[in-house]
Amino acid sequence: LGLTVVSEGIEDALQCEILASMGCEEGQGYFFGRPQSARQIQVLSAAHSLLAGGDDAAVSALAQAG
């Protein structure tokens, strides 16, 4: 049908491998990362930007995060 298969609730590498072998193309769950607050995502995004070459906005966001 040309649809992308997405699996939710993947908790470990074995589940991920089994699903991939069955044709699952995308997934989410604790294996990939725990839920985070919007603030935590902002800090991670700013840190990533800073490490990738950075800009003044990334430096400012990290400074504000304390």
Side-chain angles (χ1 to χ4, degrees):
L1 298 174
L3 300 174
T4 300
V5 176
V6 180
S7 180
E8 289 188 35
I10 300 173
E11 294 188 6
D12 58 44
L14 180 59
Q15 288 176 341
C16 188
E17 289 175 28
I18 291 170
L19 289 164
S21 73
M22 295 171 63
C24 180
E25 299 164 331
E26 297 184 23
Q28 67 181 40
Y30 286 158
F31 176 65
F32 301 104
R34 300 282 179 176
Q36 297 187 17
S37 70
R39 184 71 181 138
Q40 289 170 312
I41 297 296
Q42 288 173 328
V43 170
L44 286 172
S45 178
H48 183 282
S49 293
L50 187 61
L51 291 173
D55 58 24
D56 292 338
V59 172
S60 178
L62 285 173
Q64 289 176 10

Short mmCIF file of all heavy atoms in Angstrom, two decimals:
data_model
loop_
_atom_site.label_atom_id
_atom_site.label_comp_id
_atom_site.label_asym_id
_atom_site.label_seq_id
_atom_site.Cartn_x
_atom_site.Cartn_y
_atom_site.Cartn_z
N LEU A 1 0.80 -1.20 0.00
CA LEU A 1 0.00 0.00 0.00
C LEU A 1 0.84 1.26 0.00
O LEU A 1 0.31 2.36 -0.06
CB LEU A 1 -0.93 0.00 1.22
CG LEU A 1 -1.96 -1.14 1.28
CD1 LEU A 1 -2.71 -1.10 2.60
CD2 LEU A 1 -2.91 -1.06 0.11
N GLY A 2 2.14 1.12 0.17
CA GLY A 2 3.01 2.29 0.16
C GLY A 2 2.96 3.11 1.44
O GLY A 2 3.31 4.27 1.44
N LEU A 3 2.51 2.51 2.54
CA LEU A 3 2.41 3.22 3.81
C LEU A 3 3.66 3.01 4.66
O LEU A 3 4.32 1.97 4.57
CB LEU A 3 1.19 2.72 4.59
CG LEU A 3 -0.17 2.89 3.90
CD1 LEU A 3 -1.26 2.22 4.72
CD2 LEU A 3 -0.48 4.36 3.71
N THR A 4 3.98 3.98 5.47
CA THR A 4 5.09 3.86 6.42
C THR A 4 4.58 3.21 7.70
O THR A 4 3.55 3.63 8.24
CB THR A 4 5.68 5.25 6.74
OG1 THR A 4 6.15 5.83 5.53
CG2 THR A 4 6.83 5.14 7.73
N VAL A 5 5.29 2.20 8.18
CA VAL A 5 4.91 1.52 9.41
C VAL A 5 5.65 2.16 10.58
O VAL A 5 6.87 2.31 10.55
CB VAL A 5 5.24 0.01 9.34
CG1 VAL A 5 4.93 -0.68 10.65
CG2 VAL A 5 4.50 -0.64 8.18
N VAL A 6 4.90 2.56 11.61
CA VAL A 6 5.46 3.18 12.80
C VAL A 6 5.06 2.34 14.01
O VAL A 6 3.90 1.99 14.16
CB VAL A 6 4.94 4.63 12.98
CG1 VAL A 6 5.54 5.25 14.23
CG2 VAL A 6 5.25 5.47 11.76
N SER A 7 6.02 2.06 14.88
CA SER A 7 5.74 1.31 16.09
C SER A 7 5.92 2.19 17.31
O SER A 7 6.88 2.96 17.39
CB SER A 7 6.68 0.10 16.19
OG SER A 7 6.41 -0.63 17.37
N GLU A 8 5.01 2.07 18.25
CA GLU A 8 5.11 2.82 19.51
C GLU A 8 5.48 1.87 20.64
O GLU A 8 5.15 0.69 20.61
CB GLU A 8 3.78 3.47 19.84
CG GLU A 8 3.41 4.62 18.95
CD GLU A 8 2.17 5.35 19.44
OE1 GLU A 8 2.01 5.46 20.68
OE2 GLU A 8 1.39 5.79 18.61
N GLY A 9 6.13 2.42 21.65
CA GLY A 9 6.41 1.65 22.86
C GLY A 9 7.62 0.75 22.78
O GLY A 9 7.71 -0.23 23.52
N ILE A 10 8.57 1.05 21.92
CA ILE A 10 9.80 0.25 21.83
C ILE A 10 10.64 0.53 23.08
O ILE A 10 10.97 1.66 23.37
CB ILE A 10 10.59 0.58 20.56
CG1 ILE A 10 9.74 0.30 19.33
CG2 ILE A 10 11.90 -0.21 20.52
CD1 ILE A 10 10.38 0.74 18.02
N GLU A 11 10.96 -0.54 23.81
CA GLU A 11 11.64 -0.37 25.09
C GLU A 11 13.07 -0.90 25.11
O GLU A 11 13.82 -0.59 26.03
CB GLU A 11 10.83 -1.01 26.21
CG GLU A 11 9.50 -0.31 26.42
CD GLU A 11 8.75 -0.80 27.64
OE1 GLU A 11 9.30 -1.62 28.41
OE2 GLU A 11 7.61 -0.37 27.83
N ASP A 12 13.46 -1.72 24.14
CA ASP A 12 14.83 -2.24 24.16
C ASP A 12 15.30 -2.56 22.74
O ASP A 12 14.53 -2.55 21.78
CB ASP A 12 14.96 -3.45 25.08
CG ASP A 12 14.04 -4.60 24.72
OD1 ASP A 12 13.93 -4.93 23.52
OD2 ASP A 12 13.43 -5.18 25.64
N ALA A 13 16.60 -2.87 22.63
CA ALA A 13 17.21 -3.11 21.32
C ALA A 13 16.62 -4.33 20.64
O ALA A 13 16.43 -4.33 19.41
CB ALA A 13 18.73 -3.27 21.48
N LEU A 14 16.29 -5.37 21.38
CA LEU A 14 15.73 -6.58 20.79
C LEU A 14 14.38 -6.28 20.12
O LEU A 14 14.15 -6.70 18.98
CB LEU A 14 15.57 -7.68 21.84
CG LEU A 14 14.98 -9.00 21.33
CD1 LEU A 14 15.85 -9.58 20.22
CD2 LEU A 14 14.83 -9.98 22.48
N GLN A 15 13.52 -5.54 20.80
CA GLN A 15 12.25 -5.16 20.20
C GLN A 15 12.48 -4.36 18.92
O GLN A 15 11.82 -4.58 17.91
CB GLN A 15 11.41 -4.33 21.17
CG GLN A 15 10.83 -5.12 22.32
CD GLN A 15 10.07 -4.23 23.30
OE1 GLN A 15 10.25 -3.01 23.33
NE2 GLN A 15 9.22 -4.86 24.09
N CYS A 16 13.42 -3.45 18.97
CA CYS A 16 13.73 -2.61 17.81
C CYS A 16 14.20 -3.47 16.64
O CYS A 16 13.76 -3.29 15.50
CB CYS A 16 14.78 -1.58 18.19
SG CYS A 16 15.07 -0.34 16.92
N GLU A 17 15.09 -4.42 16.90
CA GLU A 17 15.61 -5.30 15.86
C GLU A 17 14.51 -6.17 15.25
O GLU A 17 14.44 -6.33 14.03
CB GLU A 17 16.72 -6.19 16.42
CG GLU A 17 18.00 -5.45 16.74
CD GLU A 17 19.02 -6.34 17.42
OE1 GLU A 17 18.99 -7.58 17.18
OE2 GLU A 17 19.84 -5.82 18.18
N ILE A 18 13.65 -6.73 16.11
CA ILE A 18 12.56 -7.58 15.62
C ILE A 18 11.62 -6.79 14.74
O ILE A 18 11.24 -7.24 13.65
CB ILE A 18 11.81 -8.24 16.80
CG1 ILE A 18 12.71 -9.27 17.48
CG2 ILE A 18 10.51 -8.89 16.32
CD1 ILE A 18 12.16 -9.81 18.80
N LEU A 19 11.24 -5.62 15.20
CA LEU A 19 10.32 -4.78 14.42
C LEU A 19 10.94 -4.37 13.08
O LEU A 19 10.28 -4.39 12.04
CB LEU A 19 9.91 -3.55 15.23
CG LEU A 19 8.97 -3.87 16.40
CD1 LEU A 19 8.92 -2.70 17.37
CD2 LEU A 19 7.58 -4.20 15.89
N ALA A 20 12.23 -4.03 13.09
CA ALA A 20 12.92 -3.67 11.85
C ALA A 20 12.95 -4.85 10.88
O ALA A 20 12.73 -4.68 9.67
CB ALA A 20 14.33 -3.18 12.15
N SER A 21 13.18 -6.06 11.40
CA SER A 21 13.21 -7.25 10.54
C SER A 21 11.84 -7.56 9.95
O SER A 21 11.74 -8.21 8.91
CB SER A 21 13.74 -8.46 11.31
OG SER A 21 12.76 -8.92 12.23
N MET A 22 10.78 -7.07 10.60
CA MET A 22 9.41 -7.26 10.11
C MET A 22 8.97 -6.14 9.17
O MET A 22 7.84 -6.13 8.70
CB MET A 22 8.46 -7.37 11.29
CG MET A 22 8.70 -8.60 12.16
SD MET A 22 7.76 -8.61 13.69
CE MET A 22 6.09 -8.66 13.08
N GLY A 23 9.86 -5.16 8.92
CA GLY A 23 9.54 -4.10 7.98
C GLY A 23 9.10 -2.80 8.61
O GLY A 23 8.73 -1.87 7.90
N CYS A 24 9.16 -2.71 9.93
CA CYS A 24 8.81 -1.46 10.61
C CYS A 24 9.89 -0.43 10.29
O CYS A 24 11.07 -0.68 10.50
CB CYS A 24 8.69 -1.67 12.11
SG CYS A 24 8.25 -0.19 13.02
N GLU A 25 9.46 0.73 9.78
CA GLU A 25 10.42 1.71 9.31
C GLU A 25 10.72 2.82 10.32
O GLU A 25 11.75 3.47 10.24
CB GLU A 25 9.90 2.34 8.01
CG GLU A 25 9.73 1.30 6.92
CD GLU A 25 8.89 1.79 5.77
OE1 GLU A 25 8.00 2.64 5.99
OE2 GLU A 25 9.12 1.31 4.66
N GLU A 26 9.81 3.06 11.25
CA GLU A 26 10.00 4.12 12.24
C GLU A 26 9.44 3.65 13.57
O GLU A 26 8.56 2.81 13.63
CB GLU A 26 9.29 5.40 11.80
CG GLU A 26 9.85 5.97 10.51
CD GLU A 26 9.22 7.28 10.12
OE1 GLU A 26 8.67 7.97 11.00
OE2 GLU A 26 9.27 7.61 8.93
N GLY A 27 9.97 4.24 14.65
CA GLY A 27 9.47 3.86 15.97
C GLY A 27 9.74 4.92 17.00
O GLY A 27 10.50 5.86 16.78
N GLN A 28 9.09 4.75 18.12
CA GLN A 28 9.32 5.63 19.25
C GLN A 28 9.13 4.83 20.53
O GLN A 28 8.54 3.76 20.53
CB GLN A 28 8.37 6.82 19.22
CG GLN A 28 6.91 6.47 19.42
CD GLN A 28 6.02 7.69 19.34
OE1 GLN A 28 6.22 8.56 18.52
NE2 GLN A 28 5.03 7.75 20.21
N GLY A 29 9.68 5.34 21.59
CA GLY A 29 9.57 4.67 22.88
C GLY A 29 10.77 4.97 23.76
O GLY A 29 11.68 5.70 23.39
N TYR A 30 10.75 4.38 24.96
CA TYR A 30 11.80 4.63 25.94
C TYR A 30 13.18 4.21 25.45
O TYR A 30 14.19 4.73 25.90
CB TYR A 30 11.50 3.92 27.24
CG TYR A 30 10.39 4.54 28.06
CD1 TYR A 30 9.71 3.81 29.00
CD2 TYR A 30 10.03 5.88 27.90
CE1 TYR A 30 8.70 4.37 29.77
CE2 TYR A 30 9.03 6.45 28.64
CZ TYR A 30 8.37 5.69 29.58
OH TYR A 30 7.37 6.25 30.33
N PHE A 31 13.25 3.27 24.50
CA PHE A 31 14.55 2.87 23.95
C PHE A 31 15.26 4.06 23.31
O PHE A 31 16.48 4.18 23.39
CB PHE A 31 14.36 1.75 22.93
CG PHE A 31 15.62 1.32 22.23
CD1 PHE A 31 16.66 0.73 22.93
CD2 PHE A 31 15.78 1.51 20.87
CE1 PHE A 31 17.83 0.34 22.30
CE2 PHE A 31 16.94 1.13 20.22
CZ PHE A 31 17.96 0.53 20.94
N PHE A 32 14.50 4.95 22.71
CA PHE A 32 15.06 6.11 22.03
C PHE A 32 15.20 7.32 22.94
O PHE A 32 16.04 8.17 22.72
CB PHE A 32 14.20 6.48 20.82
CG PHE A 32 14.09 5.35 19.83
CD1 PHE A 32 12.93 4.61 19.75
CD2 PHE A 32 15.14 5.02 19.00
CE1 PHE A 32 12.81 3.56 18.85
CE2 PHE A 32 15.04 3.97 18.10
CZ PHE A 32 13.86 3.23 18.03
N GLY A 33 14.38 7.42 23.96
CA GLY A 33 14.46 8.54 24.88
C GLY A 33 13.21 8.68 25.73
O GLY A 33 12.11 8.33 25.31
N ARG A 34 13.39 9.15 26.92
CA ARG A 34 12.28 9.39 27.84
C ARG A 34 11.58 10.70 27.51
O ARG A 34 12.19 11.60 26.94
CB ARG A 34 12.79 9.45 29.28
CG ARG A 34 13.50 8.20 29.77
CD ARG A 34 12.50 7.16 30.12
NE ARG A 34 13.19 5.95 30.56
CZ ARG A 34 12.55 4.89 31.00
NH1 ARG A 34 11.24 4.91 31.09
NH2 ARG A 34 13.21 3.82 31.35
N PRO A 35 10.30 10.81 27.86
CA PRO A 35 9.60 12.08 27.65
C PRO A 35 10.32 13.21 28.39
O PRO A 35 10.88 13.01 29.46
CB PRO A 35 8.23 11.83 28.29
CG PRO A 35 8.06 10.36 28.33
CD PRO A 35 9.45 9.80 28.49
N GLN A 36 10.31 14.40 27.78
CA GLN A 36 10.98 15.55 28.38
C GLN A 36 10.08 16.77 28.28
O GLN A 36 9.22 16.85 27.41
CB GLN A 36 12.30 15.82 27.65
CG GLN A 36 13.27 14.66 27.80
CD GLN A 36 14.62 14.99 27.24
OE1 GLN A 36 14.96 16.13 26.99
NE2 GLN A 36 15.43 13.97 27.04
N SER A 37 10.33 17.69 29.17
CA SER A 37 9.56 18.93 29.16
C SER A 37 9.99 19.80 27.98
O SER A 37 11.06 19.61 27.41
CB SER A 37 9.78 19.70 30.47
OG SER A 37 11.10 20.23 30.50
N ALA A 38 9.15 20.78 27.66
CA ALA A 38 9.48 21.71 26.58
C ALA A 38 10.80 22.43 26.89
O ALA A 38 11.63 22.66 26.01
CB ALA A 38 8.35 22.70 26.38
N ARG A 39 11.01 22.77 28.14
CA ARG A 39 12.24 23.47 28.54
C ARG A 39 13.48 22.60 28.30
O ARG A 39 14.51 23.08 27.82
CB ARG A 39 12.14 23.88 30.02
CG ARG A 39 13.31 24.70 30.48
CD ARG A 39 13.25 26.08 29.84
NE ARG A 39 14.39 26.86 30.27
CZ ARG A 39 15.09 27.62 29.47
NH1 ARG A 39 14.74 27.75 28.21
NH2 ARG A 39 16.11 28.28 29.91
N GLN A 40 13.37 21.31 28.63
CA GLN A 40 14.50 20.41 28.42
C GLN A 40 14.82 20.29 26.92
O GLN A 40 15.99 20.25 26.53
CB GLN A 40 14.19 19.03 29.00
CG GLN A 40 14.19 19.00 30.51
CD GLN A 40 13.65 17.68 31.03
OE1 GLN A 40 12.60 17.21 30.59
NE2 GLN A 40 14.35 17.11 31.99
N ILE A 41 13.79 20.27 26.09
CA ILE A 41 13.99 20.19 24.65
C ILE A 41 14.67 21.46 24.14
O ILE A 41 15.57 21.40 23.30
CB ILE A 41 12.65 19.97 23.92
CG1 ILE A 41 12.03 18.64 24.32
CG2 ILE A 41 12.83 20.06 22.40
CD1 ILE A 41 12.82 17.42 23.95
N GLN A 42 14.27 22.62 24.67
CA GLN A 42 14.91 23.87 24.27
C GLN A 42 16.40 23.87 24.60
O GLN A 42 17.22 24.30 23.80
CB GLN A 42 14.24 25.06 24.96
CG GLN A 42 12.86 25.37 24.45
CD GLN A 42 12.18 26.45 25.28
OE1 GLN A 42 12.39 26.56 26.48
NE2 GLN A 42 11.34 27.24 24.63
N VAL A 43 16.74 23.40 25.78
CA VAL A 43 18.14 23.36 26.20
C VAL A 43 18.92 22.39 25.32
O VAL A 43 20.03 22.71 24.86
CB VAL A 43 18.26 22.97 27.70
CG1 VAL A 43 19.70 22.68 28.07
CG2 VAL A 43 17.68 24.08 28.56
N LEU A 44 18.36 21.21 25.04
CA LEU A 44 19.04 20.25 24.18
C LEU A 44 19.24 20.80 22.77
O LEU A 44 20.30 20.64 22.17
CB LEU A 44 18.26 18.94 24.12
CG LEU A 44 18.33 18.06 25.36
CD1 LEU A 44 17.36 16.90 25.23
CD2 LEU A 44 19.74 17.55 25.58
N SER A 45 18.22 21.46 22.26
CA SER A 45 18.31 22.05 20.93
C SER A 45 19.38 23.14 20.88
O SER A 45 20.18 23.21 19.93
CB SER A 45 16.95 22.63 20.52
OG SER A 45 17.03 23.23 19.27
N ALA A 46 19.42 23.97 21.89
CA ALA A 46 20.42 25.04 21.95
C ALA A 46 21.83 24.45 22.06
O ALA A 46 22.75 24.91 21.40
CB ALA A 46 20.14 25.97 23.12
N ALA A 47 21.98 23.40 22.87
CA ALA A 47 23.29 22.76 23.02
C ALA A 47 23.73 22.14 21.69
O ALA A 47 24.89 22.25 21.30
CB ALA A 47 23.25 21.71 24.11
N HIS A 48 22.80 21.53 21.00
CA HIS A 48 23.11 20.93 19.70
C HIS A 48 23.56 22.01 18.72
O HIS A 48 24.54 21.84 17.99
CB HIS A 48 21.89 20.19 19.17
CG HIS A 48 22.16 19.48 17.88
ND1 HIS A 48 22.22 20.13 16.66
CD2 HIS A 48 22.40 18.17 17.60
CE1 HIS A 48 22.47 19.26 15.71
NE2 HIS A 48 22.59 18.07 16.25
N SER A 49 22.83 23.12 18.68
CA SER A 49 23.20 24.22 17.79
C SER A 49 24.58 24.75 18.11
O SER A 49 25.37 25.06 17.22
CB SER A 49 22.18 25.35 17.89
OG SER A 49 20.95 24.95 17.38
N LEU A 50 24.86 24.87 19.40
CA LEU A 50 26.16 25.38 19.83
C LEU A 50 27.28 24.44 19.39
O LEU A 50 28.30 24.88 18.87
CB LEU A 50 26.17 25.56 21.34
CG LEU A 50 27.38 26.24 21.95
CD1 LEU A 50 27.52 27.65 21.40
CD2 LEU A 50 27.26 26.28 23.46
N LEU A 51 27.08 23.14 19.56
CA LEU A 51 28.09 22.17 19.18
C LEU A 51 28.25 22.08 17.66
O LEU A 51 29.32 21.74 17.16
CB LEU A 51 27.75 20.79 19.75
CG LEU A 51 27.88 20.68 21.26
CD1 LEU A 51 27.35 19.33 21.73
CD2 LEU A 51 29.31 20.87 21.71
N ALA A 52 27.19 22.39 16.94
CA ALA A 52 27.22 22.29 15.48
C ALA A 52 27.75 23.55 14.82
O ALA A 52 27.68 23.71 13.63
CB ALA A 52 25.83 21.97 14.96
N GLY A 53 28.28 24.45 15.58
CA GLY A 53 28.82 25.66 15.00
C GLY A 53 28.35 26.89 15.73
O GLY A 53 28.95 27.94 15.63
N GLY A 54 27.24 26.72 16.39
CA GLY A 54 26.75 27.75 17.28
C GLY A 54 26.31 29.04 16.64
O GLY A 54 26.64 29.34 15.51
N ASP A 55 25.56 29.77 17.40
CA ASP A 55 25.16 31.12 17.04
C ASP A 55 24.81 31.84 18.34
O ASP A 55 24.76 31.24 19.40
CB ASP A 55 24.00 31.14 16.05
CG ASP A 55 22.75 30.43 16.54
OD1 ASP A 55 22.57 30.29 17.77
OD2 ASP A 55 21.94 30.02 15.70
N ASP A 56 24.61 33.12 18.26
CA ASP A 56 24.33 33.91 19.45
C ASP A 56 23.06 33.47 20.16
O ASP A 56 22.98 33.50 21.38
CB ASP A 56 24.24 35.39 19.10
CG ASP A 56 25.60 35.95 18.68
OD1 ASP A 56 26.63 35.35 19.05
OD2 ASP A 56 25.62 36.97 17.96
N ALA A 57 22.04 33.03 19.41
CA ALA A 57 20.78 32.60 20.02
C ALA A 57 21.00 31.35 20.87
O ALA A 57 20.43 31.21 21.95
CB ALA A 57 19.73 32.34 18.95
N ALA A 58 21.83 30.42 20.39
CA ALA A 58 22.11 29.20 21.14
C ALA A 58 22.86 29.51 22.42
O ALA A 58 22.55 28.98 23.49
CB ALA A 58 22.91 28.21 20.28
N VAL A 59 23.84 30.37 22.34
CA VAL A 59 24.60 30.76 23.53
C VAL A 59 23.68 31.43 24.54
O VAL A 59 23.72 31.14 25.73
CB VAL A 59 25.77 31.70 23.15
CG1 VAL A 59 26.46 32.26 24.39
CG2 VAL A 59 26.76 30.96 22.28
N SER A 60 22.81 32.30 24.07
CA SER A 60 21.86 33.01 24.94
C SER A 60 20.90 32.04 25.61
O SER A 60 20.64 32.14 26.81
CB SER A 60 21.08 34.04 24.13
OG SER A 60 20.14 34.68 24.94
N ALA A 61 20.39 31.06 24.87
CA ALA A 61 19.44 30.10 25.42
C ALA A 61 20.10 29.25 26.51
O ALA A 61 19.50 28.99 27.55
CB ALA A 61 18.89 29.20 24.32
N LEU A 62 21.34 28.83 26.29
CA LEU A 62 22.04 28.04 27.30
C LEU A 62 22.35 28.88 28.53
O LEU A 62 22.26 28.40 29.66
CB LEU A 62 23.31 27.45 26.72
CG LEU A 62 23.11 26.27 25.79
CD1 LEU A 62 24.42 25.88 25.15
CD2 LEU A 62 22.50 25.09 26.51
N ALA A 63 22.70 30.13 28.34
CA ALA A 63 23.00 31.02 29.47
C ALA A 63 21.75 31.22 30.32
O ALA A 63 21.82 31.22 31.55
CB ALA A 63 23.53 32.34 28.98
N GLN A 64 20.59 31.36 29.69
CA GLN A 64 19.34 31.56 30.42
C GLN A 64 18.92 30.31 31.16
O GLN A 64 18.28 30.37 32.19
CB GLN A 64 18.24 31.99 29.46
CG GLN A 64 18.42 33.39 28.93
CD GLN A 64 17.35 33.74 27.91
OE1 GLN A 64 16.38 33.03 27.73
NE2 GLN A 64 17.53 34.89 27.25
N ALA A 65 19.29 29.12 30.62
CA ALA A 65 18.91 27.88 31.25
C ALA A 65 19.62 27.67 32.58
O ALA A 65 19.16 26.96 33.45
CB ALA A 65 19.21 26.70 30.31
N GLY A 66 20.76 28.32 32.70
CA GLY A 66 21.52 28.28 33.94
C GLY A 66 22.10 26.95 34.19
O GLY A 66 22.30 26.36 35.10
#
